[in-house]
Amino acid sequence: MTAITSCDGAQEDWTEAERLEILRDTKLLDTAPDPAYDDLIRIASVVCAAPIVLISLVDEDRQWFKARIGFDLPETPRSLSICAHAIRNGPLLVIPDLTTDPRTASNALVVGAHNLRFYAGAVIRAEGGQPLGSVCVLDRVPRPEGLTDVQAKTLEALARQVATLIALKRAREIVSDREADLAASERRFRVMTDAMPQMVWTTRPDGFHDFYNDRWYEFTGVPFGSTDGEGWNDLFHPDDRERAWARWRRSLATGDPYEIEYRLRHHTGSYRWTLGRAAPLRSADGRIERWFGTCTDIEDLKRAEEEARKLAAVVEHSKDFIGIADENGHTLHVNAAGRRLVGLADADAARRTIVSDYFMPECRHVLAETVLPAVRRDDWWEGELTFRHFVTGEGIAVLYSVFPVRDERGALIGYASVTRDLRERKRAEEARNLLIKELSHRIKNIFAVVEGIAALSARADPAARPFVAAFRQRLGALAQAHEYVRPHSAASAPAVQGQTLFGLMRLLLAAYAQDGRERIALLGDDIAVGDRAATALALIMHEQATNAMKYGGLSTEAGAVRLTGRRNGETYELVWAESGGPPVAGAPTRRGFGTVLAERSVAGQLDGTLEHDWNGAGLVMRLTVPAANLAA
């Protein structure tokens, strides 16, 4: 027989707060009936021949029954709980007669209508040893003999089974929670990978591909699951497959990260350059559990890089100076031709310079006061300046072009310049000007010789003096016209300040007067002309007059020309109309050099148009130009 326990035992190694926390952590309180627990109390009822059997869990202010037989209340206040005494004794508390035990003698369940007399309870303990309640049997009659050994061991075994059920339930909940977490994590992983712009894939430790996100299937267009395992390699360009396999096998063997560029077949059938990367996911002990990889479409980047390489090659092989500086004027890059031009040893030497270092001192104020303000205002400036050679200090004549460099938002990030060495051109211009001066000098000498011969004729034959005088006057007019139409430099160009178009024409066409009669009549609207326009107009009209003297309206005694100017808003029209000359059969079959040169002068220097009408009465030429260009 089991002895009566009549007083509290020694305190266990736990606190009430710890015990209550673990009890509530079981999430068993107030749960629905469970057949597994019901079966256990039926066993206890049979083995112990007890009319009342309870699985009692002792809470802070109550005891709640997970399973019960022979007792109608689902719970009682803790103050009435006999099990509350049991959890402080154990593993088994047996009270043969509740009316004689000082702990229970006045209990309402004993002295009241329930009339309880016998109690035996085996303590239910958590894995850490904290008592949660008991499996107890009760009777309404005292049992002085208590429990037999079999009954006591059975009751203790049933208490352990209840503890096991509680632990299993908790374990199942933990597993379920983990499975739910894993499922949620899997969902989050899929949502995250499907939201990524890259193609995402994973493999087992041996490299077997078992997951691809939606981007992979959208890019490749292959059926879902068709590239699991090793099927992915068939999508690579044939020239890249072995290289990709070799790199992947090396990563699998060494655990090193995988990175490679290859061409991947797009759903359109074309191959696009792709960057493949993968890294191993390791366990706490360093074992590779999975591989996580991505594929990034870099086709556009590859093309941009190729274009950048081509552009860099153009810049580096250009014979012009090409440089880039930041917005503060610090040099970022000067190409090889630029470094040779100014005597810089290498790119590092260029990066130690600022923009103003490249100019002769007399040009630096132009850079600050003219060039940069124009670039900020107009986004461009071009003009002739003088660079400085960093080694010799000599000046280098250049055509300097500069423009701003902006980022994709339009913010200024620096300046770029394309600068051409003008030294060869300057030397060629000097040689040309020298040749032009020599040619002009010789032509003037010819005019002087002819005039001298005419003067000699006048002295030898007094009767010829009137003719010679008229001839010398016409010869002087032709010499002056020649001075306008010959090529000029800026220094040799004739001054025409305050000159009008009609005034210029009278000066140039004076040679074509006959017997004091103006054969070229000027009519209509006059207009002011500038230096550049005067040269072009002189060339055009001299050519027209020369052709008219040879073939047209001035080639006969009765022929004449009407030169009419008309101002039409922003446009000026000059009409050359011949009359009285030989009949015109039609346009000439070929154009002479002078005519071609005149047409190019109209288009290139005056931005105008030149039209010819070869009608039977005589040639009509129309010159139309913007009025503003004549003042240039």
Side-chain angles (χ1 to χ4, degrees):
M1 294 295 180
T2 301
I4 299 172
T5 304
S6 58
C7 60
D8 291 342
Q11 176 69 47
E12 299 283 349
D13 188 19
W14 49 267
T15 66
E16 179 67 5
E18 291 173 347
R19 189 190 72 79
L20 289 173
E21 181 180 359
I22 292 172
L23 173 63
R24 287 159 188 174
D25 203 37
T26 65
K27 300 179 181 178
L28 199 60
L29 293 170
D30 300 313
T31 56
D34 188 329
Y37 293 91
D38 294 341
D39 288 344
L40 294 179
I41 61 174
R42 288 191 189 97
I43 294 172
S45 177
V46 171
V47 170
C48 296
I52 302 172
V53 184
L54 303 171
I55 296 178
S56 172
L57 299 175
V58 181
D59 198 1
E60 183 176 10
D61 298 317
R62 60 172 181 157
Q63 67 174 352
W64 178 80
F65 306 125
K66 174 60 183 172
R68 63 186 190 275
I69 294 175
F71 197 76
D72 55 348
L73 298 177
E75 64 179 50
T76 67
R78 182 167 176 172
S79 59
L80 301 181
S81 172
I82 303 173
C83 294
H85 301 296
I87 64 174
R88 295 200 173 270
N89 298 272
L92 180 69
L93 173 65
V94 178
I95 303 176
D97 188 349
L98 294 171
T99 62
T100 63
D101 191 290
R103 293 169 296 186
T104 59
S106 61
N107 192 307
L109 298 176
V110 175
V111 298
H114 287 85
N115 195 30
L116 300 180
R117 290 291 183 270
F118 172 74
Y119 173 88
V123 178
I124 302 168
R125 294 188 182 275
E127 292 180 347
Q130 298 86 355
L132 305 178
S134 70
V135 177
C136 58
V137 295
L138 298 103
D139 204 342
R140 291 187 173 85
V141 295
R143 292 189 182 186
E145 70 282 7
L147 296 177
T148 66
D149 287 343
V150 172
Q151 290 172 331
K153 289 179 181 179
T154 300
L155 199 60
E156 289 177 342
L158 292 173
R160 290 193 295 272
Q161 286 301 307
V162 171
T164 299
L165 285 176
I166 293 172
L168 286 174
K169 174 182 178 297
R170 184 61 183 142
R172 282 196 300 270
E173 289 174 349
I174 292 172
V175 170
S176 178
D177 289 344
R178 288 180 179 175
E179 289 176 346
D181 288 343
L182 286 173
S185 177
E186 177 73 13
R187 287 193 299 273
R188 287 193 295 270
F189 175 77
R190 288 185 177 274
V191 169
M192 178 187 70
T193 56
D194 285 341
M196 291 175 65
Q198 291 95 347
M199 295 165 268
V200 179
W201 48 271
T202 63
T203 79
R204 299 193 301 235
D206 61 359
F208 184 94
H209 286 68
D210 57 3
F211 169 79
Y212 296 91
N213 70 342
D214 289 347
R215 299 291 85 73
W216 168 268
Y217 294 108
E218 290 171 3
F219 182 94
T220 60
V222 299
F224 281 84
S226 62
T227 50
D228 289 355
E230 299 176 357
W232 54 273
N233 201 42
D234 293 338
L235 295 177
F236 286 21
H237 192 283
D239 295 344
D240 300 335
R241 289 174 188 170
E242 183 53 40
R243 182 170 57 89
W245 257 118
R247 186 71 57 85
W248 179 231
R249 282 193 292 264
R250 188 177 72 184
S251 292
L252 291 176
T254 63
D256 293 337
Y258 171 76
E259 182 169 333
I260 187 173
E261 292 181 4
Y262 49 78
R263 287 160 290 181
L264 185 64
R265 191 173 70 222
H266 192 250
H267 64 81
T268 59
S270 63
Y271 286 90
R272 293 179 65 86
W273 278 104
T274 305
L275 172 63
R277 285 174 171 166
L281 303 178
R282 298 180 183 272
S283 63
D285 59 2
R287 289 182 300 104
I288 295 177
E289 295 182 333
R290 295 193 67 73
W291 286 84
F292 181 89
T294 60
C295 301
T296 305
D297 184 353
I298 58 171
E299 178 70 19
D300 294 339
L301 178 61
K302 279 283 190 181
R303 291 181 181 177
E305 288 177 348
E306 181 62 25
E307 291 300 318
R309 280 194 293 271
K310 291 178 182 177
L311 180 59
V314 169
V315 169
E316 285 307 306
H317 290 88
S318 173
K319 294 182 179 180
D320 291 334
F321 176 108
I322 299 177
I324 301 175
D326 65 21
E327 57 184 319
N328 296 315
H330 297 285
T331 303
L332 301 176
H333 177 74
V334 174
N335 68 342
R339 297 195 298 271
R340 287 194 299 271
L341 177 66
V342 297
L344 288 169
D346 50 35
D348 286 339
R351 283 190 287 269
R352 290 193 292 270
T353 64
I354 60 175
V355 171
S356 60
D357 293 339
Y358 291 81
F359 294 90
M360 293 295 284
E362 61 269 20
C363 288
R364 291 172 186 170
H365 76 278
V366 178
L367 180 71
E369 298 171 10
T370 302
V371 177
L372 291 179
V375 173
R376 296 187 188 104
R377 181 183 65 249
D378 304 327
D379 273 357
W380 181 79
W381 186 88
E382 182 177 270
E384 292 188 18
L385 292 174
T386 307
F387 268 6
R388 176 181 67 89
H389 195 280
F390 280 81
V391 178
T392 66
E394 69 170 306
I396 305 168
V398 295
L399 179 64
Y400 184 66
S401 299
V402 60
F403 52 89
V405 178
R406 303 183 185 279
D407 63 18
E408 47 190 30
R409 297 190 305 274
L412 178 69
I413 58 175
Y415 300 93
S417 65
V418 179
T419 301
R420 179 153 296 176
D421 184 356
L422 294 182
R423 288 176 296 182
E424 284 297 325
R425 195 179 87 177
K426 289 287 186 182
R427 286 190 285 267
E429 286 179 354
E430 289 173 2
R432 187 190 69 175
N433 289 337
L434 183 61
L435 179 61
I436 288 170
K437 288 179 181 178
E438 179 64 21
L439 179 61
S440 178
H441 177 69
R442 295 193 180 198
I443 292 174
K444 286 179 180 179
N445 284 344
I446 291 171
F447 278 117
V449 169
V450 172
E451 186 177 3
I453 292 172
L456 286 174
S457 299
R459 286 197 294 271
D461 183 4
R465 288 176 183 173
F467 169 78
V468 170
F471 177 75
R472 292 178 68 186
Q473 186 178 6
R474 183 170 294 179
L475 193 65
L478 283 173
Q480 195 162 13
H482 161 72
E483 185 65 17
Y484 267 97
V485 300
R486 77 172 177 87
H488 286 284
S489 66
S492 68
V496 293
Q497 187 173 5
Q499 177 71 63
T500 68
L501 187 144
F502 284 2
L504 178 65
M505 292 300 104
R506 290 188 184 97
L507 185 66
L508 296 174
L509 302 175
Y512 302 97
Q514 187 172 353
D515 298 331
R517 178 171 63 92
E518 296 281 353
R519 300 187 68 190
I520 302 175
L522 301 174
L523 306 168
D525 303 326
D526 199 0
I527 191 169
V529 292
D531 295 345
R532 189 164 64 93
T535 302
L537 288 168
L539 178 64
I540 296 164
M541 291 307 165
H542 180 68
E543 178 66 19
Q544 287 300 123
T546 301
N547 288 337
M549 284 293 295
K550 290 193 292 185
Y551 316 112
L554 300 182
S555 65
T556 65
E557 289 293 328
V561 174
R562 289 168 60 90
L563 190 59
T564 307
R566 294 190 185 93
R567 178 70 182 259
N568 237 336
E570 301 298 322
T571 302
Y572 187 82
E573 183 183 65
L574 188 62
V575 179
W576 171 286
E578 299 179 13
S579 62
V584 177
T589 57
R590 60 179 294 275
R591 293 185 302 166
F593 173 74
T595 301
V596 173
L597 189 60
E599 290 176 352
R600 290 183 178 175
S601 295
V602 171
Q605 291 182 258
L606 301 178
D607 193 23
T609 59
L610 192 63
E611 299 175 351
H612 294 84
D613 183 6
W614 305 92
N615 61 51
L619 169 65
V620 176
M621 180 204 73
R622 289 182 177 82
L623 170 65
T624 306
V625 296
N629 290 356
L630 291 175

